[in-house]
Amino acid sequence: TSRITRSDEDKEGSWDAWGAWSDCSRTCGGGASYSLRRCLNGRNCEGRNIRYKTCSSNDCPSDVGDFRAQQCSAYNDVKYQGQLYEWMPVYNDPTAPCALKCQALGKNLIVELAPKVLDGTRCNIESLDMCISGICQAVGCDRQLGSNAKEDNCGICAGDGSTCRLVRGQAKAHVSPEKREETVIAVPHGSRSVRITLKGPAHLVIESKTLQGDKGEHSFSAPGTFVIENTTVEFQKNTDREIIKIQGPVGADFIIKTRYSGSKESVVQFFFYQPISHQWRQTEFFPCTVTCGGGYQLNSAECLDIRLKRVVPDHYCHYYPENKKPKPKLKECNMDPCPSSDGFKEIMPYDHFQPLPRWEHNPWTACSVSCGGGIQRRSFVCVEETIHGEILQVEEWKCMYAPKPKVIQTCNLFDCPKWVAMEWSQCTVTCGRGLRYRVVLCIDHRGQHVGGCNPQLKLHIKEECIVPIPCYKPKEKNPVEAKLPWFKQAHEMEETRTVSEEPT
C-alpha cells in the first residue's frame, strides 16, 4: 500500500513505545524535557522519533542571572582569536533567535559562539516562546508547549477580562498662584498597561504609597527608564508633552500629580487597567434552624479585600459596577426524624410550603421637619411563621436571603410657606413726598393663605414715595408782594420736611 492511504494505526504500529522523559534542561524559569521512540522497521517510519514538553516552569530566584547571559559568560575563559573577552548576550535577533550571539564587553565585536542555545532559552525577551533543539517553539502563558493561551488585559492567563476594569479619561489642570500642584488620578496597586500623557507646560510627578504605608515622591528631569517600588517606569519628554508608560503590574499605589511651571493650562490623558481589588465571597452556611425533623440553613456574601485578604464593609464592593452581590443560598438540613419520647410531641417534618422567614417593619417615624425636605425612619424585625400560624421574632440572619427594605426615606419635600407681597398702592399724595402701602401674605406651596412664616422675615408693608410734581405755585414774571400763605409755604420748602404717618 502507498504511504498516503495507510491508516494512523498502521503508522503508529511501526514505532516502539515512547521512552521515559529526560531530566529537565533547567531547574527553574522554564526548560524542556524530551522523550524518544525507536522505529521498528528500519528507517521507513512516518513521524518524529522525539517529542518535547515544558518543565520547571517555576520562576527562578531573583539572584539567578539571565539564562542566555549565563551561556555567554561560560565563554569568558575561552580565548577568541587569541584573546579573552567578557561576553554579554545579544537579545531579540530576528534572523537567528536560537543562536548564541554574544557581544564583547566594551567592544563592537558580536560573535555567534554557538549555533544553538540550550533548550529552554527564551527566543526573545518579550514572550515565553523557547528554543528547543535550535528551533523557536511557541509557548503559551500556561507555560505549555504549543499552547496559544494569552494573558488578558488583567494579567490572567486565558482570562476573560472580568478581574479588572478599564479606566480612561482626561483632566484639565487649572493653574492658580495659590495652587501649584494638583492630583490628577490614582493608579492603584496591580494596575497594568498604564499610559499617562500630559500636554502643556506642567510636569508629571508620581507619589507612591506601598501596602505597608511607605510613601515617596518621584519627579523626572530627563527621559529614561526608572524603577519605582519594583515597577519599571518609562518616561518620555519633548517640548510640550510628557508621557509615562508602565507595563505593570504596578507595585504600589501611584498618585499621578501635575506641578505647574507656567501660567498656561495643561491637559492630562490617562489610560490603564485597574484590578478589581474587592470581590464578593460567599460565607459558610449558618447553623441549621433545627436539630432534627427537617430545617433549613442559609448563607450570605461578604466583601473581601483581595490585596489584604480580609473582610471589609459592603460599600467597597458596591464601588465596582461589575460586582454583583450573589444571592443567599438556602438548603435543607437535619432531615432525620426526631426521636420520639414519652410526654413530648414529635416535631413535624419540614414543610416545603411553609413560608420562609421574612422582614416585618414598624411604622415610619414622624418626619424630621414639617416642610422643605426631611427624613423619617423605621425599624425591622425578622419574623417566622410556625406551622400553627403563630408569628415569632427570630434571629436576623434567617432573613438574609430576602432583600432588606428601606429603613430611611425622605419626606415633606414640598417648599415651606413664604411671604408673598401684593402690588403697591398708589402714593397717598398728589405732589411731593407721601406713603404707599401693600398687602403681605404667608402663602404655602399650594398657593393658599396660611400661617407658619417667620415674622422676622416679613416684608415691609409701607414705604415713602415721591410724586414728581411741585407742591408750590411758580413765581410770576413781575415781582409782587408776597401774600402771607405763599410766603409761609416758600419758607417751609427751604426746611427739611418730615412726612407724617397719616396722609393729609
Side-chain angles (χ1 to χ4, degrees), residues 285 288 294-297 330-335 350-352:
F285 277 91
C288 192
Y296 58 87
Q297 56 188 152
L330 179 75
K331 71 176 184 180
E332 298 173 343
C333 54
N334 294 345
M335 301 302 292
Y350 179 67
D351 183 0
H352 292 274

Side-chain angles (χ1 to χ4, degrees), residues 345-361:
K345 184 180 180 182
E346 184 179 343
I347 297 175
M348 292 188 67
Y350 179 67
D351 183 0
H352 292 274
F353 301 102
Q354 183 181 338
L356 291 172
R358 66 180 185 274
W359 294 108
E360 205 162 80
H361 59 80

Side-chain angles (χ1 to χ4, degrees), residues 295-430:
Y296 58 87
Q297 56 188 152
L298 294 159
N299 75 349
S300 182
E302 56 194 9
C303 184
L304 181 72
D305 187 320
I306 298 170
R307 302 186 303 178
L308 303 176
K309 301 288 189 294
R310 70 183 185 200
V311 177
V312 294
D314 283 6
H315 67 82
Y316 284 96
C317 283
H318 291 311
Y319 173 71
Y320 302 101
E322 299 87 347
N323 271 351
K324 302 293 183 191
K325 186 174 183 178
K327 291 183 177 180
K329 293 178 181 175
L330 179 75
K331 71 176 184 180
E332 298 173 343
C333 54
N334 294 345
M335 301 302 292
D336 295 332
C338 292
S340 58
S341 59
D342 294 336
F344 291 95
K345 184 180 180 182
E346 184 179 343
I347 297 175
M348 292 188 67
Y350 179 67
D351 183 0
H352 292 274
F353 301 102
Q354 183 181 338
L356 291 172
R358 66 180 185 274
W359 294 108
E360 205 162 80
H361 59 80
N362 293 318
W364 288 106
T365 61
C367 194
S368 58
V369 294
S370 59
C371 60
I375 58 170
Q376 55 186 166
R377 304 173 186 273
R378 63 180 176 180
S379 58
F380 282 86
V381 292
C382 182
V383 299
E384 184 178 34
E385 187 174 338
T386 67
I387 53 175
H388 304 295
E390 295 176 294
I391 304 297
L392 301 176
Q393 183 175 338
V394 293
E395 299 93 335
E396 282 199 357
W397 65 260
K398 293 186 178 181
C399 289
M400 289 295 289
Y401 75 95
K404 196 168 186 177
K406 285 199 303 182
V407 297
I408 186 171
Q409 71 175 8
T410 54
C411 52
N412 293 349
L413 298 176
F414 50 84
D415 293 334
C416 292
K418 57 187 176 182
W419 295 108
V420 176
M422 303 292 109
E423 292 291 329
W424 285 105
S425 69
Q426 290 186 336
C427 201
T428 55
V429 297
T430 57

Side-chain angles (χ1 to χ4, degrees), residues 173-176 180 201-202 260-266:
H174 300 288
V175 183
S176 65
R180 310 301 298 172
Y260 311 124
S261 59
S263 59
K264 191 179 175 185
E265 292 186 337
S266 301

Side-chain angles (χ1 to χ4, degrees), residues 79 133 315 350-351 444 451 480:
K79 286 187 177 181
S133 192
H315 67 82
Y350 179 67
D351 183 0
D444 67 7
V480 295

Side-chain angles (χ1 to χ4, degrees), residues 169-225:
Q170 72 175 26
K172 183 175 282 188
H174 300 288
V175 183
S176 65
E178 302 83 24
K179 189 172 63 173
R180 310 301 298 172
E181 189 175 275
E182 192 171 23
T183 298
V184 178
I185 187 76
V187 181
H189 180 282
S191 296
R192 292 173 176 265
S193 306
V194 183
R195 183 184 177 94
I196 313 289
T197 304
L198 179 143
K199 298 175 185 175
H203 300 290
L204 289 171
V205 178
I206 294 179
E207 182 184 293
S208 62
K209 183 179 178 182
T210 66
L211 294 178
Q212 292 73 35
D214 300 326
K215 291 184 178 181
E217 189 174 272
H218 316 273
S219 55
F220 310 95
S221 56
T225 302

